[in-house]
Amino acid sequence: MTDTQQLEAALAADQAKPKANKLVIFTWGGDLDKVWPTLILATSAAAMGMETIVFFTFWGLFPLVRNDVRLTGDNWMQKAMSLLHRGGTQHLRLSQLNFAGAGPTMMRTLAADHQVASPQELLELAQEMGVRLIPCQMTMDLLGLTREDMIDGLEAPAGAATALAEAQDAITLFI
Amino acid sequence: MTDTQQLEAALAADQAKPKANKLVIFTWGGDLDKVWPTLILATSAAAMGMETIVFFTFWGLFPLVRNDVRLTGDNWMQKAMSLLHRGGTQHLRLSQLNFAGAGPTMMRTLAADHQVASPQELLELAQEMGVRLIPCQMTMDLLGLTREDMIDGLEAPAGAATALAEAQDAITLFI
Amino acid sequence: MTDTQQLEAALAADQAKPKANKLVIFTWGGDLDKVWPTLILATSAAAMGMETIVFFTFWGLFPLVRNDVRLTGDNWMQKAMSLLHRGGTQHLRLSQLNFAGAGPTMMRTLAADHQVASPQELLELAQEMGVRLIPCQMTMDLLGLTREDMIDGLEAPAGAATALAEAQDAITLFI
């Protein structure tokens, strides 16, 4: 082929809508039924070879708090919030059908019976598969959380601008 | 124009961010106030000539269950869930202002007064307009649902990887 | 460089997935914990030089209602809804941890202590930064709202098709 022919072929391929090979999830919800789709989509994308980033913000930050850590706010308000939302993946609630805790147990048992991985397993799998897990700096500040309160394997906390910059060439979902 | 000039013109047009002519909605919420925007956006996109796909997952699956079907789980947990979430578009709740069922009735009446189509009408319209409706296989498995329990006109159940592959060149919304 | 070399270089740059320099948020939730991320993301995107559009629909419309306005529905149903959802940014609830109003106050105080702007401040900042704020026409019709009931600085009300057309070359989030 001549140079011009090569260019024409390349251009034709290029004119098809380019496909994003990257997924950026903004995870806002901290309930079991939000964490689950976040991690199932993230690990599926990673398995497909996509660069995958999850930006955990607001309630979404709670699953990243270590199971053995109570939020250590430096004032009564943060302490009050910490009593209601225990961190870590063992205590996640359902946003619907919670039944004082029976609902999530039901879902977990259903999932185990049907060989669907638990949030804890999916979180570890995501880390192993190279999914980039980024906690929201502003939310950490609001809740008085430090890096030591969070599970291992997270990237440095970052803000909205970082997440948006990553989102510019990605599939984006706000969950 | 010479070949090179033609290529230059084509390239210039191409360098603008290409516009997606496709919409992929991940519908996670099964309440009336999530189903409505899903179907209004989906039918609007189809009317604009976009390829439109709705992937129904988690609570979002319930509106696709036939109105005359009770979930037929094979164990007590699925039966318990089925009592709480009746399938089909006649029984959808509002996530807020539910008032033991009075809220959704109020919204439906308001909508009818203002000539906004009901979820059932929008679902049928979406099917007529060629919107591709895909139920989530994993959710169906969790709830013990089979193809026979679902309304007609759906595509074959599929998983997260299928939905993500479709999302790669689309506008994406998680509702 | 020859014309062909120039074209080759331009083409190589172009083959990378193009980056969206635009953000379109569909804001569906009217609670404080949905309005906050909407406005933080919108103002961050505007600060990064992105064209930024927020399409306020469903419950998301309430924060745009003037603080001194009660919804003026022309029938008892709209009046009933208006009692429950007071418009404006002063009365926003949290979708979780509401505590009959104590939760939002707690969050606002926490935010003020940590120098995070209030929704009202962020809304004004967004307007100053040129974020385009578009109320959903259909929701306004459903709630019996007119332009006079809404805060200043909004664009003309529009529908789903307008929002989707803007979304075609943008990062999209449904919040």
Side-chain angles (χ1 to χ4, degrees), chain C residues 2-169:
Chain C
T2 66
D3 277 7
T4 301
Q5 282 174 322
Q6 282 181 320
L7 275 170
E8 281 174 336
L11 193 58
D14 197 44
Q15 279 172 333
K17 173 79 171 74
K19 290 177 182 269
N21 202 33
K22 184 174 175 182
L23 172 67
V24 175
I25 301 179
F26 294 72
T27 298
W28 167 92
D31 290 325
L32 182 60
D33 48 7
K34 289 291 180 75
V35 173
W36 227 326
T38 293
L39 293 173
I40 289 169
L41 287 165
T43 51
S44 298
M48 294 164 75
M50 291 190 199
E51 181 183 0
T52 309
I53 297 172
V54 185
F55 180 70
F56 293 89
T57 188
F58 237 89
W59 312 115
L61 203 73
F62 285 99
L64 301 186
V65 178
R66 290 165 43 150
N67 282 323
D68 59 343
V69 167
R70 285 284 178 146
L71 301 190
T72 56
D74 52 5
N75 60 49
W76 69 268
M77 292 177 295
Q78 290 169 339
K79 284 186 174 52
M81 293 188 70
S82 74
L83 282 176
L84 280 136
H85 257 279
R86 297 168 63 187
T89 53
Q90 308 301 319
H91 306 299
L92 300 179
R93 306 182 320 145
L94 280 172
S95 67
Q96 303 183 21
L97 309 184
N98 198 56
F99 301 124
T105 305
M106 229 158 71
M107 284 298 292
R108 284 178 204 273
T109 311
L110 267 177
D113 286 354
H114 290 83
Q115 323 250 346
V116 180
S118 75
Q120 181 64 41
E121 288 168 328
L122 284 169
L123 193 54
E124 287 165 13
L125 182 61
Q127 289 178 319
E128 281 166 30
M129 293 175 80
V131 173
R132 299 171 53 194
L133 307 172
I134 305 178
C136 171
Q137 180 71 65
M138 185 189 290
T139 309
M140 287 181 61
D141 290 347
L142 272 172
L143 296 172
L145 289 167
T146 66
R147 290 293 293 274
E148 287 67 43
D149 300 320
M150 316 300 282
I151 60 172
D152 293 331
L154 306 182
E155 294 202 4
T162 300
L164 286 168
E166 294 289 357
Q168 286 185 289
D169 56 355

Side-chain angles (χ1 to χ4, degrees), chain A residues 53-137:
Chain A
I53 297 173
V54 184
F55 181 69
F56 292 89
T57 188
F58 237 89
W59 313 115
L61 204 73
F62 285 99
L64 301 186
V65 179
R66 289 166 43 149
N67 282 323
D68 58 343
V69 166
R70 284 285 181 146
L71 300 192
T72 55
D74 53 5
N75 61 48
W76 70 268
M77 292 177 295
Q78 289 169 339
K79 284 186 173 56
M81 293 189 69
S82 73
L83 283 174
L84 280 137
H85 256 280
R86 297 168 64 187
T89 52
Q90 307 302 317
H91 307 298
L92 300 180
R93 307 182 319 145
L94 281 173
S95 67
Q96 303 184 20
L97 310 184
N98 198 56
F99 302 123
T105 305
M106 229 158 71
M107 283 298 293
R108 284 177 205 276
T109 312
L110 268 179
D113 286 353
H114 290 83
Q115 322 252 346
V116 180
S118 75
Q120 181 64 42
E121 287 168 329
L122 284 169
L123 193 55
E124 289 164 12
L125 181 61
Q127 289 178 318
E128 281 166 30
M129 293 175 80
V131 173
R132 298 172 53 194
L133 307 173
I134 305 179
C136 171
Q137 180 71 65

Side-chain angles (χ1 to χ4, degrees), chain B residues 11 14-15 17-21 33-34 40-41 44-45 48 50 96-97 99 106-107 110-111 114 172 174, chain C residues 7 10-11 14 18 20 28 31 58-59 77-78 81 84-85 93 138 141-142 160-161 164 168-169 172 174:
Chain B
L11 193 58
D14 199 44
Q15 278 172 333
K17 171 82 169 73
K19 291 179 181 266
N21 202 32
D33 48 7
K34 290 291 181 78
I40 289 169
L41 287 165
S44 297
M48 293 165 74
M50 292 192 199
Q96 304 182 22
L97 309 184
F99 301 124
M106 230 158 69
M107 283 298 292
L110 268 178
H114 290 82
T172 53
F174 187 96
Chain C
L7 275 170
L11 193 58
D14 197 44
W28 167 92
D31 290 325
F58 237 89
W59 312 115
M77 292 177 295
Q78 290 169 339
M81 293 188 70
L84 280 136
H85 257 279
R93 306 182 320 145
M138 185 189 290
D141 290 347
L142 272 172
L164 286 168
Q168 286 185 289
D169 56 355
T172 52
F174 186 96

Side-chain angles (χ1 to χ4, degrees), chain A residues 16-20 48 171-172, chain B residues 17-26 41-42 44-55 130-132 134 155 161-173, chain C residues 26 163-170 172:
Chain A
K17 173 79 171 75
K19 290 175 182 268
M48 292 163 77
I171 301 170
T172 52
Chain B
K17 171 82 169 73
K19 291 179 181 266
N21 202 32
K22 185 175 173 182
L23 172 68
V24 175
I25 301 178
F26 294 73
L41 287 165
S44 297
M48 293 165 74
M50 292 192 199
E51 180 183 1
T52 309
I53 297 172
V54 184
F55 181 70
V131 173
R132 298 172 53 195
I134 305 179
E155 295 204 2
T162 300
L164 286 168
E166 294 288 358
Q168 286 185 290
D169 55 356
I171 301 171
T172 53
L173 299 172
Chain C
F26 294 72
L164 286 168
E166 294 289 357
Q168 286 185 289
D169 56 355
T172 52

